[in-house]
């Protein structure tokens, strides 16, 4: 049941997460990958190119978001602006009445300016987690992943694993609109073999609407929040 929006609720930072990846997949689960690293250089190049083309270099998007925070649901409108070349993004979340709930601006220098009107969300660890999710969703680039290893999951789909700040970022791919293209379908952050949070991406069915994610589901059990994001408009 969707609760009335008390006043801007925030946490939408992850909100577009990014499109931000992250409903997701329920509870934490163990990471299970086949041990052999794939030696297919062509496939590796295709996968890495997919990451660079996941979103345009510069874009804006409008989202409809259901934020579940500490067991309560809130409906938000999210406005995202991304400049991937400058490593810059800004997310503004508003209530249905139009009041700002959350405003986060991450700049290329690694600095984040965060303004929140929700007292319980003013938590340094939670804010840091949200900024991390946004960066993974919208600012990930090929050069960030070139040192990663390519594996197969239980279903045979390619998974790119990258070690980052003591954790493993696992990017799961599926076939795109053609045999030579790939789509990022899921992102997991794992430590010690356990998944900390998950982002799942869904796409439209036809070639025109299927290039970019149309829905994004984010789940972070440790931080007690999840996001169900519908992409209303991307330009």
């Amino acid at each position: 049941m969707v609760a009335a929006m008390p006043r801007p609720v925030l946490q939408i930072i992850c909100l577009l997460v990014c499109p931000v990846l992250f409903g997701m997949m329920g509870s934490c689960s163990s990471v299970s990958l086949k041990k052999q690293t794939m030696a297919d250089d062509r496939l590796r190049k295709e996968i890495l190119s997919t990451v660079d083309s996941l979103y345009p270099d510069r874009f804006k998007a409008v989202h409809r978001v259901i934020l579940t925070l500490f067991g309560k649901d809130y409906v938000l409108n999210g406005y995202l602006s991304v400049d991937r070349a400058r490593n810059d993004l800004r997310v503004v979340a508003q209530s249905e009445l139009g009041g700002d709930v959350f405003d986060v601006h991450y700049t290329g220098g690694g600095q984040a300016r965060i303004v929140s009107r929700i007292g319980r969300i003013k938590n340094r660890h939670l804010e840091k987690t949200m900024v991390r999710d946004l960066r993974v969703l919208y600012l990930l680039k090929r050069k960030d992943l070139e040192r990663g290893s390519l594996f197969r999951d239980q279903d045979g789909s390619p998974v790119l694993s990258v070690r980052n700040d003591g954790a493993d970022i696992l990017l799961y791919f599926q076939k795109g609109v053609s045999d030579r293209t790939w789509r990022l379908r899921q992102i997991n952050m794992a430590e010690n073999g356990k998944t900390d949070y998950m982002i799942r991406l869904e796409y439209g069915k036809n070639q025109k609407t299927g290039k970019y994610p149309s829905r994004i589901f984010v789940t972070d059990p440790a931080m007690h929040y999840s996001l169900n994001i519908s992409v209303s408009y991307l330009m």
Side-chain angles (χ1 to χ4, degrees):
M1 181 174 182
V2 176
M5 183 81 202
R7 265 263 189 232
V9 68
L10 145 319
Q11 171 62 105
I12 192 270
I13 164 167
C14 201
L15 152 51
L16 312 234
V17 63
C18 279
V20 241
L21 185 151
F22 242 193
M24 236 341 262
M25 1 196 98
S27 59
C28 292
S29 60
S30 295
V31 178
S32 177
L33 298 175
K34 292 185 178 180
K35 299 299 183 181
Q36 299 89 351
T37 300
M38 296 169 58
D40 189 332
D41 290 337
R42 180 188 60 78
L43 178 59
R44 182 183 178 81
K45 289 178 181 178
E46 289 178 2
I47 292 292
L48 290 172
S49 296
T50 295
V51 175
D52 274 343
S53 61
L54 182 61
Y55 292 107
D57 288 340
R58 296 178 180 82
F59 69 95
K60 296 181 179 180
V62 178
H63 299 76
R64 183 73 165 171
V65 181
I66 297 177
L67 165 66
T68 301
L69 184 64
F70 295 102
K72 289 187 177 181
D73 292 346
Y74 304 94
V75 177
L76 302 170
N77 294 314
Y79 302 91
L80 171 71
S81 177
V82 176
D83 187 329
R84 287 166 56 82
R86 295 176 57 192
N87 211 35
D88 184 286
L89 66 79
R90 185 178 183 184
V91 173
V92 177
Q94 295 183 343
S95 69
E96 291 186 292
L97 298 179
D100 287 354
V101 174
F102 181 86
D103 186 339
V104 57
H105 186 192
Y106 178 84
T107 62
Q111 301 298 313
R113 180 182 63 82
I114 302 173
V115 178
S116 167
R117 298 192 181 184
I118 303 298
R120 71 189 308 177
I121 304 287
K122 294 179 180 178
N123 174 300
R124 296 291 296 177
H125 183 62
L126 181 58
E127 289 178 349
K128 182 179 178 180
T129 298
M130 293 179 173
V131 171
R132 172 205 65 190
D133 294 348
L134 280 172
R135 291 176 60 194
V136 169
L137 266 175
Y138 299 111
L139 298 180
L140 205 60
K141 300 182 182 69
R142 174 175 181 149
K143 64 183 180 65
D144 300 320
L145 304 175
E146 287 182 336
R147 69 183 186 280
S149 299
L150 194 61
F151 298 90
R152 294 277 189 187
D153 66 6
Q154 302 94 319
D155 300 323
S157 298
V159 181
L160 193 62
S161 174
V162 181
R163 191 73 174 168
N164 184 56
D165 293 333
D168 292 308
I169 300 177
L170 304 176
L171 298 100
Y172 294 74
F173 292 87
Q174 64 184 17
K175 280 292 185 181
V177 294
S178 73
D179 290 339
R180 298 296 296 273
T181 62
W182 295 86
R183 289 171 173 166
L184 184 61
R185 66 175 174 86
Q186 183 175 317
I187 303 171
N188 288 8
M189 180 75 80
E191 288 192 65
N192 301 319
K194 295 290 184 179
T195 300
D196 283 347
Y197 78 90
M198 298 161 283
I199 301 173
R200 179 164 57 88
L201 310 174
E202 291 185 356
Y203 298 80
K205 295 189 177 182
N206 64 56
Q207 188 164 350
K208 183 177 181 180
T209 61
K211 185 174 182 179
Y212 306 117
S214 58
R215 297 194 69 184
I216 303 168
F217 302 92
V218 182
T219 298
D220 192 326
M223 292 292 102
H224 305 286
Y225 79 84
S226 65
L227 293 167
N228 182 339
I229 303 165
S230 296
V231 182
S232 303
Y233 189 67
L234 188 148
M235 55 186 174

